[in-house]
Amino acid sequence: MVKAIRVHELGGPEVLKWEDVEIGEPKEGEIRVKNIAIGVNFIDVYYRKGVYKTALPFTPGFEVVGVVTAVGPGLTGMKVGDIIANAGNLMGSYAQEQILPASAAVPVPPSIDPIVAASIMLKGMTAQFLVRRCFKVEPGHTVLVHAAAGGVGSLLCQWAHALGATVIGTVSTEAKAAQASKDGCHHVIIYSQEDFVSRVDQITSGEGVNVVYDSVGKDTFQGSLACLKTRGYMVNFGQSSGMPDPVPLSALAAKSLFLTRPSLMQYTATRKELLEAAGEVFASFASGMLKVHVNHTYPLSQAAQAHADLEARKTTGSVVLIPDSD
């Protein structure tokens, strides 16, 4: 038996329970992994609340780094002792140990600390597909990033800046504004103090931005559309404030806007895509182009507190759970 966080009913952070679970041995094509560090993401909150659906009970978590402790029959290419990461396709990482398909595991370069790797796999690959594939950011573009001091937001700002874009970020506090500036934002808007739509209009001299990366959802969606220039791209990849209200297609016609709701899982659907995305993320950190801010770590048994702090906007950068020893 090992310990894991289990969810038996949907609700607030209090539904995250620390329990014994049985995980068994790996079958053909599988590996058993002892988790070292587990990333916390808003997608975990969405599943806990029931915004995204899955069968009850379940163990949350999509981002993890661990050491291989057993391999299934006939498996080649991985061995006991390998440090691997998993992100995006399989839930269940809020656990001391877990079984994973070997096809979902990515080798972690020795140069990258496991805690850092656990904080960049899901967030880093999300940033990668958003700026490199979903909308290809190029020099001269102007981009708007909501929640610019958050885990994904921080990486989006750094990556877009490195690609030569002018980066506008929105945050909720002065402290987060300082962080966003360090992460490459040329202009930072504290949305609690000023209207971000008016400020973007001012910054862009009325032209608007090429793309909006919006993980906030309901509270920012209409304003985000208003910030776009003609033929601009609205990329909604989360809803921390709630699901956006339905939008009639005619609302996009005035400026011939593009609207997408992408998911990392569709951009890492093949083994080749997964390895390419992870490889570019690791290389970007190894070169120093990207930096991760692991500002908050919690024992795995205190996942409920981590969720409460994340939802209360008390966190910046990445949040990581460290498995308890018993």
Side-chain angles (χ1 to χ4, degrees):
M1 301 286 278
V2 300
K3 290 282 192 179
I5 296 292
R6 297 288 283 168
V7 175
H8 296 271
E9 60 179 329
L10 304 177
E14 70 279 359
V15 304
L16 298 172
K17 304 299 184 183
W18 183 235
E19 298 178 352
D20 290 321
V21 296
E22 182 66 53
I23 64 169
E25 294 300 320
K27 299 180 177 63
E28 186 174 348
E30 295 180 336
I31 55 176
R32 179 166 174 153
V33 178
K34 182 176 182 180
N35 293 338
I36 300 171
I38 302 151
V40 177
N41 298 277
F42 247 101
I43 191 172
D44 306 338
V45 174
Y46 299 152
Y47 274 100
R48 192 201 75 220
K49 288 182 167 181
V51 176
Y52 295 166
K53 307 300 182 184
T54 192
L56 293 167
F58 65 89
T59 296
F62 284 90
E63 187 175 40
V64 68
V65 170
V67 58
V68 177
T69 58
V71 299
L75 183 66
T76 59
M78 288 185 190
K79 64 184 184 302
V80 172
D82 285 350
I83 304 296
I84 62 91
N86 175 63
N89 292 321
L90 295 161
M91 189 159 52
S93 65
Y94 283 25
Q96 291 175 324
E97 298 184 44
Q98 66 185 123
I99 302 291
L100 289 172
S103 60
V106 174
V108 176
S111 59
I112 298 188
D113 182 90
I115 292 178
V116 171
S119 69
I120 64 174
M121 274 296 290
L122 185 57
K123 301 172 190 69
M125 290 197 298
T126 297
Q128 188 268 349
F129 93 80
L130 288 174
V131 300
R132 301 284 284 156
R133 299 173 67 195
C134 183
F135 176 87
K136 195 171 177 62
V137 174
E138 297 177 350
H141 283 160
T142 301
V143 308
L144 174 61
V145 178
H146 289 301
V152 175
S154 167
L155 300 180
L156 280 173
C157 293
Q158 293 178 59
W159 214 319
H161 182 107
L163 291 171
T166 297
V167 184
I168 305 170
T170 72
V171 297
S172 58
T173 67
E174 294 281 359
K176 290 184 177 182
Q179 184 63 66
S181 293
K182 290 179 183 178
D183 287 336
C185 281
H186 300 86
H187 308 275
V188 183
I189 302 167
I190 303 176
Y191 63 80
S192 59
Q193 298 179 10
E194 58 184 334
D195 177 65
F196 76 84
V197 178
S198 299
R199 184 72 181 110
V200 168
D201 187 67
Q202 182 183 45
I203 291 168
T204 63
S205 300
E207 289 190 7
V209 301
N210 296 90
V211 60
V212 178
Y213 293 112
D214 188 344
S215 64
V216 177
K218 187 177 181 65
D219 291 352
T220 53
F221 190 84
Q222 290 297 331
S224 294
L225 290 177
C227 288
L228 287 166
K229 63 170 52 178
T230 299
R231 300 192 304 276
Y233 278 71
M234 173 65 191
V235 183
N236 170 247
F237 66 100
Q239 53 273 328
S240 60
S241 68
M243 294 288 287
D245 294 328
V247 178
L249 284 175
S250 58
L252 308 178
K255 292 191 285 186
S256 294
L257 300 178
F258 296 85
L259 169 61
T260 182
R261 179 57 175 89
S263 168
L264 173 64
M265 297 175 195
Q266 275 70 55
Y267 284 82
T268 55
T270 67
R271 179 73 177 165
K272 181 174 183 289
E273 288 176 328
L274 175 65
L275 292 176
E276 286 179 352
E280 186 170 3
V281 169
F282 288 142
S284 296
F285 279 90
S287 70
M289 186 189 88
L290 296 179
K291 293 180 172 59
V292 65
H293 311 295
V294 185
N295 294 338
H296 312 272
T297 61
Y298 301 76
L300 175 57
S301 59
Q302 296 179 21
Q305 186 61 55
H307 274 224
D309 291 347
L310 181 66
E311 288 186 272
R313 301 180 187 273
K314 292 181 179 178
T315 65
T316 59
S318 295
V319 180
V320 175
L321 303 174
I322 306 298
D324 305 59
S325 58
D326 53 35

